[in-house]
Amino acid sequence: MGHQATEKDHGTGGCYCGALRYALSGPALIMGQCHCRACQHVAGGAPQYFQLVAPETFSWTSGTPQSFERPDLPNAVTRFFCATCGTHVLTQRQDQAELVLKVGTLDAPGDFHPRVALCHAQAQPFHLVADGVTVFDDIPQRG
Ligand SMILES: [Zn+2]
Ligand SMILES: [Zn+2]
C-alpha cells in the first residue's frame, strides 16, 4: 500500500466539549513549551505545550471560535477559544505568520515531543524541562 497523504497524517483536534474541531494538513514546524506568565495563566500553572503550524495547513472543521485580545497591551496576541467550554485552542501572534496550537487539544497529543523551552526566565521551580530540550530565557528571534 502506498502512503496516502491525508489530513489525518498531521492530526486533528478540538476543544474539550467538541463544539470546535480542526484539521491539520501540514506538519508541526516547531514543537515546544513556553514558561511565560501568560502561558502559566492559560495552562493552569504549567508551561504551555505548543506546536507552530503554517496558517494554510490549519482549518476549523466544526464550530466558530471566539477570540480575545488584551486591549491594554500594545502587541497583544489574539487567542482563539471555545465560547461554550472555554478551551484555548490557538494563538496568533502579530510578529509571526505561524499559528501557535495548544498541544492538549490534539486528538493524539502523544505524538508531541518538545524541542525548545521558551521564556524560561519566568519558569516556576516546579516546572520540568525534559533532557535534550533547548532552553531559552526568552523567545529567540528566528530567521
Ligand atoms: Zn468547547
Ligand atoms: Zn508563553
Side-chain angles (χ1 to χ4, degrees), residues 46-131:
Q48 185 154 240
Y49 297 104
F50 67 88
Q51 64 183 41
L52 296 189
V53 298
E56 62 271 20
T57 67
F58 179 92
S59 56
W60 298 106
T61 55
S62 177
T64 302
Q66 183 69 257
S67 67
F68 174 75
E69 299 171 19
R70 269 180 61 169
D72 57 319
L73 298 180
N75 296 302
V77 301
T78 304
R79 300 184 182 281
F80 295 93
F81 59 95
C82 175
T84 302
C85 72
T87 302
H88 186 12
V89 175
L90 199 64
T91 299
Q92 170 78 75
R93 297 180 60 90
Q94 293 186 23
D95 60 354
Q96 73 182 12
E98 297 90 346
L99 302 171
V100 185
L101 181 67
K102 314 306 173 184
V103 168
T105 66
L106 289 165
D107 291 334
D111 295 337
F112 173 79
H113 301 287
R115 297 294 183 227
V116 294
L118 307 180
C119 299
H120 197 263
Q122 300 174 60
Q124 301 301 328
F126 51 85
H127 285 177
L128 301 176
V129 177
D131 288 344

Side-chain angles (χ1 to χ4, degrees), residues 18-67:
L20 284 183
R21 295 287 301 163
Y22 62 80
L24 297 167
S25 61
L29 303 174
I30 293 177
M31 295 181 177
Q33 59 196 67
C34 183
H35 296 259
C36 82
R37 287 292 290 130
C39 284
Q40 292 175 36
H41 272 97
V42 297
Q48 185 154 240
Y49 297 104
F50 67 88
Q51 64 183 41
L52 296 189
V53 298
E56 62 271 20
T57 67
F58 179 92
S59 56
W60 298 106
T61 55
S62 177
T64 302
Q66 183 69 257
S67 67

